């Protein structure tokens, strides 16, 4: 049974997207995070999968749509929390974050197609990764990978190939971390909640 995993923080002001607060208020940054998460969950719901799981730090709210299972994140560093998320899967799994509201059901479905791959890797343009798919999830493939550094993605992909896995790549996407990222992603995905909110916020004099 295939599983789509979304690892995310609850969109609470002052706790998410703090790097956006150079251009937006903490509440506006949290609102943008919520819009990005809703867009991501919409794409997840439109993708064929046996389970759709939100692995959440914080409390769920009304922004979680029906059809999404919510479980709390594990403890430890990000590598340990990602490993714990994969341990929830009972078969092939694709894990994504909440920072790519431009993601589409087509991309997610591709990342769950393991007919010619053991793993899928989705690089982010900041050197990290926005998606990781494993035909046979093994948490050890993530433990010890340094997270949130410029070569995180390179090290993670090397970990997969060193394990003898046949790895295929998804398109590179931009994570929303900074105001410049937010502008790029909103321009690239104009039909999203994120883009609509971003446009509205940018139209308000600050």
């Amino acid at each position: 049974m295939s599983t789509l995993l979304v690892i995310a923080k609850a969109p609470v002001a002052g706790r998410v997207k703090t790097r956006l607060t150079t251009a937006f208020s903490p509440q506006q940054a949290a609102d943008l995070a919520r819009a990005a998460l809703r867009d991501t969950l919409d794409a997840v719901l439109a993708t064929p999968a046996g389970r759709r799981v939100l692995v959440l730090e914080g409390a769920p709210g009304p922004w979680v749509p029906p059809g999404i299972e919510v479980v709390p994140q594990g403890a430890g560093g990000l590598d340990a929390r990602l490993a714990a998320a994969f341990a929830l899967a009972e078969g092939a799994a694709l894990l994504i974050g909440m920072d790519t509201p431009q993601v589409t059901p087509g991309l997610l479905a591709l990342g769950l197609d393991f007919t010619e791959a053991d793993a899928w890797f989705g690089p982010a343009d900041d050197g990290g990764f926005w998606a990781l798919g494993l035909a046979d999830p093994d948490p050890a493939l993530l433990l010890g990978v340094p997270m949130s550094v410029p070569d995180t993605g390179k090290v993670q992909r090397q970990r997969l190939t060193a394990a003898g896995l046949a790895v295929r790549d998804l398109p590179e996407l931009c994570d929303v971390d900074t105001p410049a990222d937010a502008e790029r992603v909103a321009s690239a995905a104009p039909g999203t909640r994120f883009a609509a909110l971003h446009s509205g916020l940018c139209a308000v004099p600050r």
Side-chain angles (χ1 to χ4, degrees):
M1 179 172 66
S2 62
T3 301
L4 261 173
L5 301 160
V6 180
I7 190 158
K9 289 183 178 181
V12 176
R15 298 191 63 185
V16 293
K17 295 299 165 201
T18 55
R19 292 170 64 187
L20 293 180
T21 58
T22 57
F24 302 98
S25 72
Q27 185 58 59
Q28 289 171 335
D31 291 343
L32 285 166
R34 183 174 62 250
L37 182 53
R38 285 293 307 274
D39 287 328
T40 301
L41 294 178
D42 282 350
V44 167
L45 285 170
T47 304
R51 293 175 68 197
R52 301 171 180 87
V53 184
L54 174 61
V55 187
L56 186 66
E57 177 186 317
W63 36 267
V64 180
I68 299 292
E69 178 184 349
V70 181
V71 300
Q73 283 188 29
L78 182 55
D79 62 324
R81 287 180 280 134
L82 295 180
F86 271 108
L88 298 168
E90 300 171 1
L94 176 68
L95 181 144
I96 62 172
M98 62 182 287
D99 300 333
T100 50
Q102 71 273 45
V103 73
T104 65
L107 279 178
L108 298 181
L110 180 61
L112 281 171
D113 181 1
F114 295 99
T115 53
E116 297 182 2
D118 302 315
W120 284 93
F121 183 78
D125 65 359
D126 61 1
F129 59 94
W130 67 268
L132 181 62
L134 298 172
D136 184 15
D138 179 358
L141 292 169
L142 293 107
L143 292 172
V145 173
M147 296 289 165
S148 303
V149 295
D151 62 348
T152 291
K154 179 181 178 181
V155 174
Q156 181 62 75
R157 198 182 189 286
Q158 286 176 341
R159 178 72 69 88
L160 302 177
T161 56
L165 303 183
V167 183
R168 296 186 66 184
D169 292 311
L170 293 164
E172 181 179 273
L173 294 184
C174 174
D175 280 341
V176 175
D177 290 318
T178 68
D181 296 334
E183 184 173 355
R184 286 180 58 200
V185 171
S187 297
T192 59
R193 288 185 178 86
F194 181 85
L197 177 59
H198 183 269
S199 176
L201 292 177
C202 289
V204 177
R206 292 189 292 276

